[in-house]
Each structure stands twice: as C-alpha cells, then as structure tokens.
Amino acid sequence: MVSTTSTLLVASAKPPGHVAIVMDGNGRWAQKRWLPRVAGHKQGVESLRGVVKACIERGVAVLSVFAFSSENWSRPADEVSGLMDLLVMALSREVPSLEKSGVRLHFPGDRSGLSARVVQGLESAERATAHNSALILNVCFNYGGRWDVVQAARRLAQQGVEITEESLSAATALSHVGDPDLLIRTGGELRISNFLLWQSAYTELVFTECLWPDFDDAELDRALGEFARRDRRFGRTAEQLAQAQPTAVDKRHA
C-alpha cells in the first residue's frame, strides 16, 4: 500500500516532467521463481505497461527507460536472443494500444549492431506514434551514456561545430526532450550503470529494492513522493532559490 504521506505529496506536488528508470531485477525475479531469465523480462514488459499508464494519469510528460544497454551484449547468447525476440513481439503487440493512448515512441541508441528486422520494427513504431503527445516514451535500446556523449561529439566534429554544453546537448540521442528530473533504479543496486550520464547532472536519484517485475503504481508513487520532498537548488542556496525567478538552467530541467 502507498503511505498516506506519499499519497498527499504526489497529489499536492507538481509531478516531475521527465522520469527515467533503470529497470533492473528481471533476471533475479525469474530465478527466485525457478524460471528462465527471459520470463523475468516478459513480466517486466507487463510492469512497463502499467507504469506508462500511471505516468499519463499523474501528468508526467516524458518517461525514459533503459531497456537494453550497450554492455548487455556480454550476457549469455540465449538471453540476448530472447531479449531481441521479446522486443519484436512487444512492438507488434503493444504499439497499437500505445498509439491509442497517445504515447509517442522513441528508441534512442546505436542501431548499427541491430538486425534489419529489429531496426524495421523500431522505425515502424516511431512512425506509427509520431503524432501523439500524451506521453513521450523513450525506450533506450542498445544505448550507453558514454556512447551517447562520444557520438554527439563526433557528429559535431564532423560538422565543424564548436563543442559547447548547448551544442553537445543538442546532438545527444535524447535532444528531443529535457533532462530527467527523477531517475529511479529498481533492484537494489546503487548506481546508474551508464544511463543518461550527460543528461543526469542535476537529476534526483531514487533507489528501491523492488525488482522491476514487481514495480507498480504504489512503488512509482513512493518515488514521486520522495522527489516531492527534495529541494532542487541547481548549485544555489535555499535563500537564493526562494528569491530567484526561473533561470535557463531551471527551464532546461523542468
């Protein structure tokens, strides 16, 4: 159950505009039940469906999830193959309902190492939902924060553009959205594991022991409640923050 305090905080506070989630714990969830690891990933898709719905209901504008990192290729071959098959299946099954719900899909990440079938599925899903605006859902697939910074810098160098904070931000794979306000990691680990490194400079971090397949509305509200309690100063003192008008930094992270 959600605590009364968390419920009141979520109800009274402005929700974070951009929530990012490291969806960790699928494999451990399956192993605890003597199931193959891919069963945990399948249940994780169910959790994501519920969180997407909950974010729309709570007024979150952007949800970014870490679906497959550039380091995940080192996992057992059968698990990687199962994840690819699951992605294709999930796209065919979930995109129509996401489109009807007003969700716009983006798949930030390196597509050069993906099969033609997977790339075609990603591009088709993006086209089918391009007109939607209820929620932007970034499913970061074959993504890594260091990869993102490197590819952005390389692109600017090739274009002969000076590398500044603004130009680099505009060249990243998530340049179509503002930086995340809140990053949640499930599964009990206390790190962000190469996810949105550039974008998370001023992001509030919340870690939970809950394994991703068990993550539900109540867990989301606990994280939103924790976010509502945070004092986001962006390098200023509390007194300065109380007196100041919103700055460019605030707007970028709003």
Side-chain angles (χ1 to χ4, degrees), residues 32-62:
K32 286 172 61 177
R33 291 159 176 79
W34 300 97
L35 297 171
R37 290 177 62 88
V38 72
H41 296 302
K42 289 180 179 178
Q43 187 60 38
V45 173
E46 301 297 321
S47 294
L48 180 56
R49 183 190 297 117
V51 169
V52 167
K53 181 175 182 291
C55 283
I56 294 174
E57 292 172 347
R58 287 152 179 76
V60 174
V62 182

PDB file of all heavy atoms in Angstrom, residues 32-62:
ATOM      1  N   LYS A  32      14.273 -16.421  -8.671  1.00  0.00           N
ATOM      2  CA  LYS A  32      13.604 -16.688  -7.396  1.00  0.00           C
ATOM      3  C   LYS A  32      12.411 -17.616  -7.577  1.00  0.00           C
ATOM      4  O   LYS A  32      11.986 -18.285  -6.629  1.00  0.00           O
ATOM      5  CB  LYS A  32      13.144 -15.370  -6.764  1.00  0.00           C
ATOM      6  CG  LYS A  32      14.266 -14.536  -6.170  1.00  0.00           C
ATOM      7  CD  LYS A  32      13.778 -13.165  -5.742  1.00  0.00           C
ATOM      8  CE  LYS A  32      12.704 -13.268  -4.671  1.00  0.00           C
ATOM      9  NZ  LYS A  32      12.286 -11.916  -4.194  1.00  0.00           N
ATOM     10  N   ARG A  33      11.884 -17.673  -8.794  1.00  0.00           N
ATOM     11  CA  ARG A  33      10.715 -18.499  -9.083  1.00  0.00           C
ATOM     12  C   ARG A  33      11.079 -19.733  -9.917  1.00  0.00           C
ATOM     13  O   ARG A  33      10.212 -20.392 -10.457  1.00  0.00           O
ATOM     14  CB  ARG A  33       9.666 -17.651  -9.815  1.00  0.00           C
ATOM     15  CG  ARG A  33       9.050 -16.600  -8.905  1.00  0.00           C
ATOM     16  CD  ARG A  33       8.410 -15.460  -9.687  1.00  0.00           C
ATOM     17  NE  ARG A  33       7.751 -14.520  -8.768  1.00  0.00           N
ATOM     18  CZ  ARG A  33       8.411 -13.590  -8.057  1.00  0.00           C
ATOM     19  NH1 ARG A  33       9.745 -13.494  -8.173  1.00  0.00           N
ATOM     20  NH2 ARG A  33       7.754 -12.780  -7.245  1.00  0.00           N
ATOM     21  N   TRP A  34      12.380 -20.007 -10.017  1.00  0.00           N
ATOM     22  CA  TRP A  34      12.881 -21.142 -10.784  1.00  0.00           C
ATOM     23  C   TRP A  34      12.406 -21.093 -12.237  1.00  0.00           C
ATOM     24  O   TRP A  34      12.043 -22.097 -12.838  1.00  0.00           O
ATOM     25  CB  TRP A  34      12.457 -22.471 -10.132  1.00  0.00           C
ATOM     26  CG  TRP A  34      12.979 -22.599  -8.729  1.00  0.00           C
ATOM     27  CD1 TRP A  34      12.307 -22.320  -7.575  1.00  0.00           C
ATOM     28  CD2 TRP A  34      14.285 -23.007  -8.341  1.00  0.00           C
ATOM     29  NE1 TRP A  34      13.113 -22.521  -6.479  1.00  0.00           N
ATOM     30  CE2 TRP A  34      14.341 -22.958  -6.910  1.00  0.00           C
ATOM     31  CE3 TRP A  34      15.422 -23.422  -9.036  1.00  0.00           C
ATOM     32  CZ2 TRP A  34      15.480 -23.292  -6.198  1.00  0.00           C
ATOM     33  CZ3 TRP A  34      16.567 -23.753  -8.317  1.00  0.00           C
ATOM     34  CH2 TRP A  34      16.574 -23.691  -6.917  1.00  0.00           C
ATOM     35  N   LEU A  35      12.431 -19.892 -12.793  1.00  0.00           N
ATOM     36  CA  LEU A  35      12.033 -19.671 -14.176  1.00  0.00           C
ATOM     37  C   LEU A  35      13.247 -19.213 -14.991  1.00  0.00           C
ATOM     38  O   LEU A  35      14.216 -18.680 -14.437  1.00  0.00           O
ATOM     39  CB  LEU A  35      10.943 -18.599 -14.253  1.00  0.00           C
ATOM     40  CG  LEU A  35       9.609 -18.911 -13.575  1.00  0.00           C
ATOM     41  CD1 LEU A  35       8.732 -17.660 -13.547  1.00  0.00           C
ATOM     42  CD2 LEU A  35       8.896 -20.055 -14.296  1.00  0.00           C
ATOM     43  N   PRO A  36      13.228 -19.393 -16.307  1.00  0.00           N
ATOM     44  CA  PRO A  36      14.311 -18.852 -17.129  1.00  0.00           C
ATOM     45  C   PRO A  36      14.317 -17.330 -17.054  1.00  0.00           C
ATOM     46  O   PRO A  36      13.279 -16.689 -16.848  1.00  0.00           O
ATOM     47  CB  PRO A  36      13.965 -19.348 -18.543  1.00  0.00           C
ATOM     48  CG  PRO A  36      12.507 -19.654 -18.507  1.00  0.00           C
ATOM     49  CD  PRO A  36      12.217 -20.115 -17.108  1.00  0.00           C
ATOM     50  N   ARG A  37      15.490 -16.735 -17.226  1.00  0.00           N
ATOM     51  CA  ARG A  37      15.628 -15.291 -17.077  1.00  0.00           C
ATOM     52  C   ARG A  37      14.702 -14.524 -18.019  1.00  0.00           C
ATOM     53  O   ARG A  37      14.179 -13.466 -17.663  1.00  0.00           O
ATOM     54  CB  ARG A  37      17.083 -14.879 -17.325  1.00  0.00           C
ATOM     55  CG  ARG A  37      18.035 -15.327 -16.228  1.00  0.00           C
ATOM     56  CD  ARG A  37      19.469 -14.956 -16.561  1.00  0.00           C
ATOM     57  NE  ARG A  37      19.657 -13.533 -16.685  1.00  0.00           N
ATOM     58  CZ  ARG A  37      19.949 -12.722 -15.664  1.00  0.00           C
ATOM     59  NH1 ARG A  37      20.085 -13.213 -14.436  1.00  0.00           N
ATOM     60  NH2 ARG A  37      20.122 -11.431 -15.853  1.00  0.00           N
ATOM     61  N   VAL A  38      14.482 -15.058 -19.215  1.00  0.00           N
ATOM     62  CA  VAL A  38      13.623 -14.353 -20.169  1.00  0.00           C
ATOM     63  C   VAL A  38      12.201 -14.203 -19.641  1.00  0.00           C
ATOM     64  O   VAL A  38      11.488 -13.263 -20.010  1.00  0.00           O
ATOM     65  CB  VAL A  38      13.632 -15.060 -21.546  1.00  0.00           C
ATOM     66  CG1 VAL A  38      12.864 -16.381 -21.485  1.00  0.00           C
ATOM     67  CG2 VAL A  38      13.070 -14.145 -22.630  1.00  0.00           C
ATOM     68  N   ALA A  39      11.781 -15.104 -18.738  1.00  0.00           N
ATOM     69  CA  ALA A  39      10.452 -14.970 -18.132  1.00  0.00           C
ATOM     70  C   ALA A  39      10.365 -13.691 -17.308  1.00  0.00           C
ATOM     71  O   ALA A  39       9.311 -13.042 -17.254  1.00  0.00           O
ATOM     72  CB  ALA A  39      10.139 -16.185 -17.268  1.00  0.00           C
ATOM     73  N   GLY A  40      11.467 -13.323 -16.670  1.00  0.00           N
ATOM     74  CA  GLY A  40      11.500 -12.071 -15.925  1.00  0.00           C
ATOM     75  C   GLY A  40      11.384 -10.870 -16.843  1.00  0.00           C
ATOM     76  O   GLY A  40      10.720  -9.881 -16.510  1.00  0.00           O
ATOM     77  N   HIS A  41      12.035 -10.944 -18.004  1.00  0.00           N
ATOM     78  CA  HIS A  41      11.944  -9.845 -18.964  1.00  0.00           C
ATOM     79  C   HIS A  41      10.512  -9.714 -19.492  1.00  0.00           C
ATOM     80  O   HIS A  41      10.022  -8.595 -19.702  1.00  0.00           O
ATOM     81  CB  HIS A  41      12.913 -10.071 -20.110  1.00  0.00           C
ATOM     82  CG  HIS A  41      14.363 -10.059 -19.683  1.00  0.00           C
ATOM     83  ND1 HIS A  41      14.935  -8.980 -19.043  1.00  0.00           N
ATOM     84  CD2 HIS A  41      15.332 -11.001 -19.800  1.00  0.00           C
ATOM     85  CE1 HIS A  41      16.205  -9.250 -18.783  1.00  0.00           C
ATOM     86  NE2 HIS A  41      16.471 -10.469 -19.238  1.00  0.00           N
ATOM     87  N   LYS A  42       9.846 -10.840 -19.704  1.00  0.00           N
ATOM     88  CA  LYS A  42       8.451 -10.792 -20.162  1.00  0.00           C
ATOM     89  C   LYS A  42       7.558 -10.137 -19.115  1.00  0.00           C
ATOM     90  O   LYS A  42       6.700  -9.315 -19.444  1.00  0.00           O
ATOM     91  CB  LYS A  42       7.959 -12.210 -20.478  1.00  0.00           C
ATOM     92  CG  LYS A  42       8.574 -12.815 -21.722  1.00  0.00           C
ATOM     93  CD  LYS A  42       8.034 -14.221 -21.976  1.00  0.00           C
ATOM     94  CE  LYS A  42       8.646 -14.817 -23.244  1.00  0.00           C
ATOM     95  NZ  LYS A  42       8.162 -16.207 -23.485  1.00  0.00           N
ATOM     96  N   GLN A  43       7.771 -10.489 -17.850  1.00  0.00           N
ATOM     97  CA  GLN A  43       6.990  -9.860 -16.788  1.00  0.00           C
ATOM     98  C   GLN A  43       7.343  -8.382 -16.664  1.00  0.00           C
ATOM     99  O   GLN A  43       6.498  -7.563 -16.307  1.00  0.00           O
ATOM    100  CB  GLN A  43       7.235 -10.581 -15.461  1.00  0.00           C
ATOM    101  CG  GLN A  43       6.340 -10.118 -14.324  1.00  0.00           C
ATOM    102  CD  GLN A  43       4.867 -10.324 -14.610  1.00  0.00           C
ATOM    103  OE1 GLN A  43       4.479 -11.338 -15.210  1.00  0.00           O
ATOM    104  NE2 GLN A  43       4.043  -9.383 -14.193  1.00  0.00           N
ATOM    105  N   GLY A  44       8.578  -8.062 -16.985  1.00  0.00           N
ATOM    106  CA  GLY A  44       8.994  -6.665 -16.956  1.00  0.00           C
ATOM    107  C   GLY A  44       8.237  -5.813 -17.964  1.00  0.00           C
ATOM    108  O   GLY A  44       7.975  -4.632 -17.722  1.00  0.00           O
ATOM    109  N   VAL A  45       7.885  -6.399 -19.104  1.00  0.00           N
ATOM    110  CA  VAL A  45       7.070  -5.686 -20.093  1.00  0.00           C
ATOM    111  C   VAL A  45       5.709  -5.345 -19.504  1.00  0.00           C
ATOM    112  O   VAL A  45       5.168  -4.256 -19.724  1.00  0.00           O
ATOM    113  CB  VAL A  45       6.919  -6.520 -21.385  1.00  0.00           C
ATOM    114  CG1 VAL A  45       5.937  -5.849 -22.348  1.00  0.00           C
ATOM    115  CG2 VAL A  45       8.267  -6.713 -22.069  1.00  0.00           C
ATOM    116  N   GLU A  46       5.156  -6.276 -18.719  1.00  0.00           N
ATOM    117  CA  GLU A  46       3.869  -6.020 -18.061  1.00  0.00           C
ATOM    118  C   GLU A  46       3.995  -4.844 -17.096  1.00  0.00           C
ATOM    119  O   GLU A  46       3.101  -3.990 -17.014  1.00  0.00           O
ATOM    120  CB  GLU A  46       3.392  -7.268 -17.316  1.00  0.00           C
ATOM    121  CG  GLU A  46       3.208  -8.501 -18.186  1.00  0.00           C
ATOM    122  CD  GLU A  46       2.138  -8.297 -19.243  1.00  0.00           C
ATOM    123  OE1 GLU A  46       1.108  -7.651 -18.928  1.00  0.00           O
ATOM    124  OE2 GLU A  46       2.325  -8.763 -20.379  1.00  0.00           O
ATOM    125  N   SER A  47       5.091  -4.795 -16.354  1.00  0.00           N
ATOM    126  CA  SER A  47       5.307  -3.691 -15.426  1.00  0.00           C
ATOM    127  C   SER A  47       5.415  -2.368 -16.167  1.00  0.00           C
ATOM    128  O   SER A  47       4.871  -1.344 -15.726  1.00  0.00           O
ATOM    129  CB  SER A  47       6.564  -3.929 -14.590  1.00  0.00           C
ATOM    130  OG  SER A  47       6.414  -5.045 -13.740  1.00  0.00           O
ATOM    131  N   LEU A  48       6.123  -2.383 -17.286  1.00  0.00           N
ATOM    132  CA  LEU A  48       6.284  -1.154 -18.062  1.00  0.00           C
ATOM    133  C   LEU A  48       4.932  -0.665 -18.575  1.00  0.00           C
ATOM    134  O   LEU A  48       4.665   0.547 -18.560  1.00  0.00           O
ATOM    135  CB  LEU A  48       7.246  -1.384 -19.223  1.00  0.00           C
ATOM    136  CG  LEU A  48       7.503  -0.180 -20.132  1.00  0.00           C
ATOM    137  CD1 LEU A  48       8.006   1.016 -19.331  1.00  0.00           C
ATOM    138  CD2 LEU A  48       8.495  -0.545 -21.233  1.00  0.00           C
ATOM    139  N   ARG A  49       4.088  -1.572 -18.998  1.00  0.00           N
ATOM    140  CA  ARG A  49       2.760  -1.176 -19.460  1.00  0.00           C
ATOM    141  C   ARG A  49       2.012  -0.420 -18.362  1.00  0.00           C
ATOM    142  O   ARG A  49       1.379   0.612 -18.606  1.00  0.00           O
ATOM    143  CB  ARG A  49       1.953  -2.391 -19.903  1.00  0.00           C
ATOM    144  CG  ARG A  49       0.573  -2.021 -20.460  1.00  0.00           C
ATOM    145  CD  ARG A  49      -0.319  -3.217 -20.684  1.00  0.00           C
ATOM    146  NE  ARG A  49       0.227  -4.129 -21.683  1.00  0.00           N
ATOM    147  CZ  ARG A  49       0.586  -5.383 -21.445  1.00  0.00           C
ATOM    148  NH1 ARG A  49       0.469  -5.877 -20.209  1.00  0.00           N
ATOM    149  NH2 ARG A  49       1.047  -6.140 -22.397  1.00  0.00           N
ATOM    150  N   GLY A  50       2.066  -0.950 -17.141  1.00  0.00           N
ATOM    151  CA  GLY A  50       1.386  -0.305 -16.027  1.00  0.00           C
ATOM    152  C   GLY A  50       1.982   1.046 -15.675  1.00  0.00           C
ATOM    153  O   GLY A  50       1.258   1.997 -15.354  1.00  0.00           O
ATOM    154  N   VAL A  51       3.313   1.158 -15.731  1.00  0.00           N
ATOM    155  CA  VAL A  51       3.973   2.417 -15.386  1.00  0.00           C
ATOM    156  C   VAL A  51       3.677   3.488 -16.439  1.00  0.00           C
ATOM    157  O   VAL A  51       3.503   4.671 -16.102  1.00  0.00           O
ATOM    158  CB  VAL A  51       5.495   2.199 -15.227  1.00  0.00           C
ATOM    159  CG1 VAL A  51       6.242   3.532 -15.148  1.00  0.00           C
ATOM    160  CG2 VAL A  51       5.772   1.377 -13.979  1.00  0.00           C
ATOM    161  N   VAL A  52       3.614   3.102 -17.704  1.00  0.00           N
ATOM    162  CA  VAL A  52       3.251   4.060 -18.751  1.00  0.00           C
ATOM    163  C   VAL A  52       1.872   4.652 -18.464  1.00  0.00           C
ATOM    164  O   VAL A  52       1.667   5.870 -18.508  1.00  0.00           O
ATOM    165  CB  VAL A  52       3.270   3.390 -20.135  1.00  0.00           C
ATOM    166  CG1 VAL A  52       2.589   4.271 -21.187  1.00  0.00           C
ATOM    167  CG2 VAL A  52       4.705   3.091 -20.567  1.00  0.00           C
ATOM    168  N   LYS A  53       0.923   3.790 -18.156  1.00  0.00           N
ATOM    169  CA  LYS A  53      -0.435   4.244 -17.843  1.00  0.00           C
ATOM    170  C   LYS A  53      -0.433   5.160 -16.618  1.00  0.00           C
ATOM    171  O   LYS A  53      -1.081   6.219 -16.600  1.00  0.00           O
ATOM    172  CB  LYS A  53      -1.337   3.038 -17.598  1.00  0.00           C
ATOM    173  CG  LYS A  53      -2.791   3.359 -17.280  1.00  0.00           C
ATOM    174  CD  LYS A  53      -3.608   2.076 -17.188  1.00  0.00           C
ATOM    175  CE  LYS A  53      -5.085   2.371 -16.915  1.00  0.00           C
ATOM    176  NZ  LYS A  53      -5.294   2.913 -15.560  1.00  0.00           N
ATOM    177  N   ALA A  54       0.315   4.773 -15.588  1.00  0.00           N
ATOM    178  CA  ALA A  54       0.368   5.560 -14.361  1.00  0.00           C
ATOM    179  C   ALA A  54       1.008   6.927 -14.602  1.00  0.00           C
ATOM    180  O   ALA A  54       0.575   7.934 -14.029  1.00  0.00           O
ATOM    181  CB  ALA A  54       1.137   4.796 -13.288  1.00  0.00           C
ATOM    182  N   CYS A  55       2.038   6.986 -15.438  1.00  0.00           N
ATOM    183  CA  CYS A  55       2.690   8.265 -15.725  1.00  0.00           C
ATOM    184  C   CYS A  55       1.735   9.214 -16.445  1.00  0.00           C
ATOM    185  O   CYS A  55       1.697  10.412 -16.151  1.00  0.00           O
ATOM    186  CB  CYS A  55       3.946   8.040 -16.564  1.00  0.00           C
ATOM    187  SG  CYS A  55       5.364   7.425 -15.627  1.00  0.00           S
ATOM    188  N   ILE A  56       0.966   8.681 -17.380  1.00  0.00           N
ATOM    189  CA  ILE A  56      -0.020   9.520 -18.069  1.00  0.00           C
ATOM    190  C   ILE A  56      -1.036  10.056 -17.072  1.00  0.00           C
ATOM    191  O   ILE A  56      -1.374  11.248 -17.079  1.00  0.00           O
ATOM    192  CB  ILE A  56      -0.719   8.715 -19.183  1.00  0.00           C
ATOM    193  CG1 ILE A  56       0.277   8.346 -20.286  1.00  0.00           C
ATOM    194  CG2 ILE A  56      -1.876   9.520 -19.777  1.00  0.00           C
ATOM    195  CD1 ILE A  56      -0.290   7.435 -21.353  1.00  0.00           C
ATOM    196  N   GLU A  57      -1.517   9.199 -16.192  1.00  0.00           N
ATOM    197  CA  GLU A  57      -2.513   9.606 -15.200  1.00  0.00           C
ATOM    198  C   GLU A  57      -1.972  10.656 -14.243  1.00  0.00           C
ATOM    199  O   GLU A  57      -2.723  11.517 -13.759  1.00  0.00           O
ATOM    200  CB  GLU A  57      -2.993   8.387 -14.416  1.00  0.00           C
ATOM    201  CG  GLU A  57      -3.795   7.403 -15.247  1.00  0.00           C
ATOM    202  CD  GLU A  57      -4.089   6.108 -14.498  1.00  0.00           C
ATOM    203  OE1 GLU A  57      -3.451   5.887 -13.441  1.00  0.00           O
ATOM    204  OE2 GLU A  57      -4.926   5.318 -14.977  1.00  0.00           O
ATOM    205  N   ARG A  58      -0.676  10.621 -13.945  1.00  0.00           N
ATOM    206  CA  ARG A  58      -0.075  11.536 -12.980  1.00  0.00           C
ATOM    207  C   ARG A  58       0.500  12.794 -13.629  1.00  0.00           C
ATOM    208  O   ARG A  58       1.058  13.642 -12.934  1.00  0.00           O
ATOM    209  CB  ARG A  58       0.997  10.798 -12.163  1.00  0.00           C
ATOM    210  CG  ARG A  58       0.375   9.823 -11.159  1.00  0.00           C
ATOM    211  CD  ARG A  58       1.292   8.666 -10.844  1.00  0.00           C
ATOM    212  NE  ARG A  58       0.692   7.761  -9.866  1.00  0.00           N
ATOM    213  CZ  ARG A  58      -0.271   6.878 -10.147  1.00  0.00           C
ATOM    214  NH1 ARG A  58      -0.747   6.802 -11.386  1.00  0.00           N
ATOM    215  NH2 ARG A  58      -0.755   6.078  -9.213  1.00  0.00           N
ATOM    216  N   GLY A  59       0.400  12.911 -14.925  1.00  0.00           N
ATOM    217  CA  GLY A  59       0.835  14.119 -15.596  1.00  0.00           C
ATOM    218  C   GLY A  59       2.305  14.186 -15.934  1.00  0.00           C
ATOM    219  O   GLY A  59       2.830  15.271 -16.215  1.00  0.00           O
ATOM    220  N   VAL A  60       2.993  13.052 -15.917  1.00  0.00           N
ATOM    221  CA  VAL A  60       4.396  13.010 -16.343  1.00  0.00           C
ATOM    222  C   VAL A  60       4.431  13.140 -17.866  1.00  0.00           C
ATOM    223  O   VAL A  60       3.682  12.456 -18.567  1.00  0.00           O
ATOM    224  CB  VAL A  60       5.066  11.697 -15.894  1.00  0.00           C
ATOM    225  CG1 VAL A  60       6.474  11.583 -16.463  1.00  0.00           C
ATOM    226  CG2 VAL A  60       5.086  11.614 -14.369  1.00  0.00           C
ATOM    227  N   ALA A  61       5.283  14.008 -18.379  1.00  0.00           N
ATOM    228  CA  ALA A  61       5.319  14.266 -19.813  1.00  0.00           C
ATOM    229  C   ALA A  61       6.252  13.323 -20.571  1.00  0.00           C
ATOM    230  O   ALA A  61       6.000  12.983 -21.737  1.00  0.00           O
ATOM    231  CB  ALA A  61       5.743  15.710 -20.078  1.00  0.00           C
ATOM    232  N   VAL A  62       7.354  12.909 -19.916  1.00  0.00           N
ATOM    233  CA  VAL A  62       8.368  12.083 -20.578  1.00  0.00           C
ATOM    234  C   VAL A  62       8.771  10.942 -19.653  1.00  0.00           C
ATOM    235  O   VAL A  62       9.037  11.167 -18.459  1.00  0.00           O
ATOM    236  CB  VAL A  62       9.625  12.904 -20.944  1.00  0.00           C
ATOM    237  CG1 VAL A  62      10.649  12.024 -21.668  1.00  0.00           C
ATOM    238  CG2 VAL A  62       9.259  14.118 -21.793  1.00  0.00           C
TER     239      VAL A  62
END
